[in-house]
Every structure is written in C-alpha cells, then in structure tokens.
C-alpha cells in the first residue's frame, strides 16, 4: 500500500509498505479515504515539532471505511464510515482519571508519536472511532478533527450565550473557534493581519473584524465592547505578544484560552490577573468534542464553503506540502485523497 512518510526532518517521501494487520481483539482495519494537512504536519516535516519521532507516517486528521474488525469489536462493522480520534492515552494517570486523556502523561498522538493516517490502510482501536452518517461527504468529514480544536477552545473558555468572544487570528484554528463560539451564542470579534482572511471570517459569521496591523487591536476591542473588553479571548495567533495582549484585552471575570505551543515566555504583570480575576487556561487537542462536531456537521450547522483550499491525490503529496509551504498566508486546509 502507499504511505506518506517524513523520514527525517526535511525529507518527505511516498513509499510502499505492507497492509497492516489486526493484532488485538479490539482493533479495526480502516481503508483511509481523506487526510488533511495541518500546520503541525508541516512542523513535523521541518523538524519543528518537539514531540515528533522519525521516521513518521504523518496525518492526524483522517477518515475512512472499516474493512475488517477484531473479534471483540462491537461498535462498528465492515463498511462503516468513521473518523479516527487520533489520541491514545493510558486511562490511569491523574489527567485521565479526570476524563482528560488529551493531556495524559503518556499521551500518544497518531501522526506524531506513532504512525498516522497518510497510508492506504490503518489499524486503530475501536475506542478511537466515531461513526459518520452516510450523508456526510468525505470532503467534509475530514474537517472534523480541526473543528474539534475550536470546539475544545470554546469549551475550555466556558463560552456562554451572549458573551463577547475575541478570536485572535483567522487561520485554520481561529476559524474553527469562530464557528464553535458562534454556535454557543456568542458575539465574535475576529482579528488577523491579512485582509483576505478577515473577509473569509466575515463570510463565516464574524460579527466584528479587526485588522491588527492597521488598527490598535486592544483599543478597538474596548471601543466595540463599550470599554468592557472581551469576556473570552482565544489566542490562535500564538506568539509572545498575542498572549500578553489577551491578558490585557479580556474583561473582568473573563477567560483567556491559550492554544500556543510557543516556548518563548510572555511578560505578564500579576496585578492584571488579580484585578480582573481572570481565568487563564490552556487548550490542547480535545476531549469528547468529536461527537459535538459530528452532530453540528450532520445538522449542517457548520459552514464549510471554501474551507478546503485545495485537494491532491496521494501521488502528489509532495506538491501538496510544497503548496502549503508556499501559500501559508492564504491556505486554510489542503486535503489528500487516498482513492
Ligand atoms: N493547542 C492546540 O491543540 C493546537 C492545535 C492546533 C494548532 N495549534 C496552534 O494554533 C496556532 C494557530 O494555528 P493555525 O493552523 O490556525 O495557524 P495559521 O498560520 O493558519 O493561523 C495564524 C493566523 O494568525 C494571523 N496573524 C499573525 N499575526 C497576527 C496578529 N498580530 N494579529 C492577528 N492575527 C495574526 C495569521 O495571518 C494567520 O491567519 C499555531 O500556533 C498552532 O501551533 C494549537
Ligand atoms: Zn491538525
Ligand atoms: Zn493517562
């Protein structure tokens, strides 16, 4: 079967490998149909993901059809259409016991710590599968995983109906946070520095737009909110300053949701947290967000028009990575078809 593998930083290859076989009774063999390319796949390719182990079959955003099931599998049958939740966790550490396997001490992410979805066939435990309705096309289903990231940010920020949410950055993740917080009933302000990205955010429901290059972002948010600031701020820009700004711009009793994997420290005066009793939380991957997103998609509540920028067959996988690299300012999602 065909696979896409990052052999070592900077070396991406198409290769052949034997079809994997089921080894545990709870495992399922899946024929992969679509794989999305994520910013973190590009980081793995460039050797900038500190968690990646090489060589690595990349891909954590993938969907497919069940072709074989282990003897103990009960949830899915041959022919079932599924999305694979790409995280594996121990189930016994403190985080797992809190129901938060996404931050397990022994977390393994498919496509990062172990092989992922860019292969014609993949084996995964039944527990990691979510069934897809027949009405959901593969080209939409492949976007479920990225939307779970926005759903998790919305959940971590405890977004309430009527809240004013500031989504900093209208990249792939910011756009998913925008749609999830709109569905939670918030008024959403979106920032970016690229006018085209702001225009797309407007078309996906943003109530207010701020070009952070042309305007003073914090002043503008205060102006929009009558001086209050945003009740929830989701940092999907993820640099030193965006975290600092998120503390500054958020209202009293507000929540700051940080998505950054950045290792550069930000400078934050404690008084700015205390006087507003801010809650600052990290948001990593997702917990229990797959069913939420599948439900929204099935009901047509997430609007996906134009979200996929380009699609390539597996034979052109290297062109796809080059396209994403060369067009990072305009790409939302590039998808590989495995058929
Ligand atoms: N915590 C998690 O689970 C998780 C998951 C996925 C991605 N991430 C992180 O989220 C971040 C965003 O990912 P992405 O795929 O959306 O990246 P992206 O590059 O598509 O989006 C970033 C956006 O920010 C905009 N931007 C840059 N500077 C800005 C500024 N000063 N003000 C406003 N906008 C600005 C860019 O134009 C771009 O649209 C990355 O740092 C990524 O590592 C975290
Ligand atoms: Zn991703
Ligand atoms: Zn654990």
């Amino acid at each position: 079967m065909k696979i896409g593998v990052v052999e070592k930083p900077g070396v991406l290859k198409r290769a052949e490998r034997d079809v994997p076989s089921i080894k545990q009774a709870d495992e399922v063999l899946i024929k992969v149909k679509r794989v999305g390319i994520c910013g973190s796949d590009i980081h793995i390719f460039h050797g900038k993901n500190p968690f990646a182990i090489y060589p690595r079959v990349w891909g954590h955003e993938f969907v497919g059809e069940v072709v074989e099931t282990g003897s103990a599998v009960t949830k899915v049958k041959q022919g079932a259409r599924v999305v694979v939740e790409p995280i594996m966790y121990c189930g016994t550490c403190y985080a797992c016991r809190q129901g938060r396997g996404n931050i397990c001490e022994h977390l393994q992410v498919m496509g990062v710590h172990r092989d992922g979805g860019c292969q014609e066939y993949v084996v995964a435990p039944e527990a990691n599968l979510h069934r897809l309705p027949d009405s959901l096309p593969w080209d939409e289903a492949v976007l479920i995983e990225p939307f779970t990231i926005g759903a998790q940010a919305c959940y971590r920020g405890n977004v309430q109906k009527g809240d004013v949410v500031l989504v900093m950055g209208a990249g792939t993740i910011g756009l998913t946070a925008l749609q999830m917080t709109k569905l939670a009933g918030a008024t959403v302000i979106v920032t970016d520095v690229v006018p085209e990205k702001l225009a797309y955010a407007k078309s996906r429901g943003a109530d207010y737009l701020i070009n952070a290059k042309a305007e003073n972002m914090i002043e503008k948010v205060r102006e929009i909110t009558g001086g209050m600031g945003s009740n929830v701020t989701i940092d999907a820009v993820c640099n030193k300053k965006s975290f600092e700004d998120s503390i500054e711009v958020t209202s009293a009793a507000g929540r700051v949701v940080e998505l950054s994997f950045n290792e550069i420290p930000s400078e934050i005066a404690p008084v700015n947290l205390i006087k507003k009793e801010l809650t600052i939380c990290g948001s990593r991957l997702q917990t229990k967000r797959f069913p939420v997103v599948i439900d929204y998609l099935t009901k047509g509540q997430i609007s996906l028009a134009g979200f996929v920028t380009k699609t390539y067959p597996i034979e052109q996988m290297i062109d796809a990575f080059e396209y994403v690299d060369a067009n990072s300012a305009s790409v939302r999602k590039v998808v590989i078809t495995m058929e």
Side-chain angles (χ1 to χ4, degrees):
M1 65 170 183
K2 300 183 192 93
I3 66 168
V5 58
V6 182
E7 284 201 332
K8 56 184 183 184
V11 182
L12 174 69
K13 280 194 174 158
R14 277 198 306 111
E16 290 286 331
R17 181 186 275 183
D18 290 343
V19 173
S21 55
I22 291 176
K23 293 197 176 66
Q24 310 283 339
D26 69 334
E27 287 178 342
V28 174
L29 180 68
I30 297 153
K31 180 158 189 10
V32 177
K33 298 286 184 178
R34 302 283 186 281
V35 192
I37 302 179
C38 178
S40 59
D41 300 318
I42 301 290
H43 291 322
I44 291 170
F45 172 42
H46 289 306
K48 287 187 190 153
N49 183 316
F51 308 116
I53 304 155
Y54 301 89
R56 180 59 61 235
V57 172
W58 66 272
H60 57 274
E61 307 174 358
F62 60 102
V63 287
E65 195 174 296
V66 172
V67 289
E68 199 186 324
T69 55
S71 58
V73 172
T74 56
K75 213 165 73 175
V76 290
K77 289 198 182 96
Q78 194 186 351
R81 306 168 80 246
V82 293
V83 58
V84 182
E85 185 167 341
I87 61 174
M88 319 265 177
Y89 40 88
C90 75
T92 56
C93 73
Y94 180 74
C96 282
R97 283 186 276 120
Q98 301 290 313
R100 297 169 66 179
N102 59 321
I103 43 170
C104 171
E105 273 179 40
H106 309 287
L107 180 70
Q108 296 255 306
V109 181
M110 294 178 80
V112 183
H113 307 87
R114 57 165 75 193
D115 282 346
C118 192
Q119 41 186 335
E120 279 180 276
Y121 294 88
V122 69
V123 169
E126 171 182 34
N128 287 62
L129 308 185
H130 297 273
R131 300 240 0 212
L132 300 173
D134 290 342
S135 58
L136 197 61
W138 295 121
D139 290 328
E140 295 189 9
V142 68
L143 297 169
I144 292 169
E145 197 279 343
F147 272 89
T148 65
I149 308 298
Q152 180 78 0
C154 179
Y155 162 69
R156 294 286 293 148
N158 191 20
V159 174
Q160 308 286 314
K161 194 169 193 293
D163 280 348
V164 178
V165 174
L166 173 66
V167 175
M168 296 169 69
T172 313
I173 298 303
L175 289 168
T176 67
L178 159 65
Q179 291 210 34
M180 291 300 134
T181 52
K182 281 302 292 176
L183 284 163
T187 296
V188 185
I189 307 170
V190 177
T191 76
D192 208 284
V193 291
V194 179
E196 190 275 336
K197 299 228 175 192
L198 289 167
Y200 185 76
K202 179 86 188 157
S203 78
R204 298 303 89 164
D207 298 287
Y208 298 93
L209 304 171
I210 301 175
N211 183 330
K213 209 174 187 175
E215 298 171 285
N216 180 315
M217 190 276 288
I218 293 173
E219 275 174 19
K220 191 77 192 170
V221 172
R222 291 202 178 120
E223 189 186 309
I224 293 166
T225 59
M228 172 179 70
S230 44
N231 307 127
V232 179
T233 301
I234 297 174
D235 180 12
V237 170
C238 301
N239 59 33
K240 175 180 186 290
K241 185 160 188 308
S242 61
F243 185 39
E244 291 164 357
D245 285 352
S246 67
I247 305 292
E248 189 67 31
V249 76
T250 305
S251 76
R255 282 84 70 199
V256 171
V257 182
E258 185 52 57
L259 287 157
S260 182
F261 286 98
N262 199 348
E263 291 182 87
I264 300 167
S266 295
E267 287 172 51
I268 288 157
V271 66
N272 290 331
L273 312 184
I274 307 314
K275 72 182 179 201
K276 299 191 278 189
E277 276 202 340
L278 290 186
T279 302
I280 303 177
C281 55
S283 182
R284 182 173 189 194
L285 304 163
Q286 57 74 43
T287 32
K288 305 181 185 76
R289 298 300 106 192
F290 274 78
V292 176
V293 172
I294 292 169
D295 191 50
Y296 280 143
L297 270 178
T298 306
K299 291 180 178 151
Q301 289 173 296
I302 298 178
S303 128
L304 295 174
F307 202 92
V308 173
T309 323
K310 232 165 150 64
T311 300
Y312 289 85
I314 174 73
E315 290 74 18
Q316 290 170 24
M317 175 194 75
I318 291 168
D319 297 341
F321 270 68
E322 281 171 1
Y323 178 82
V324 176
D325 252 352
N327 296 280
S328 59
S330 60
V331 164
R332 278 182 284 275
K333 183 57 64 188
V334 170
V335 171
I336 303 290
T337 55
M338 302 292 284
E339 295 172 282

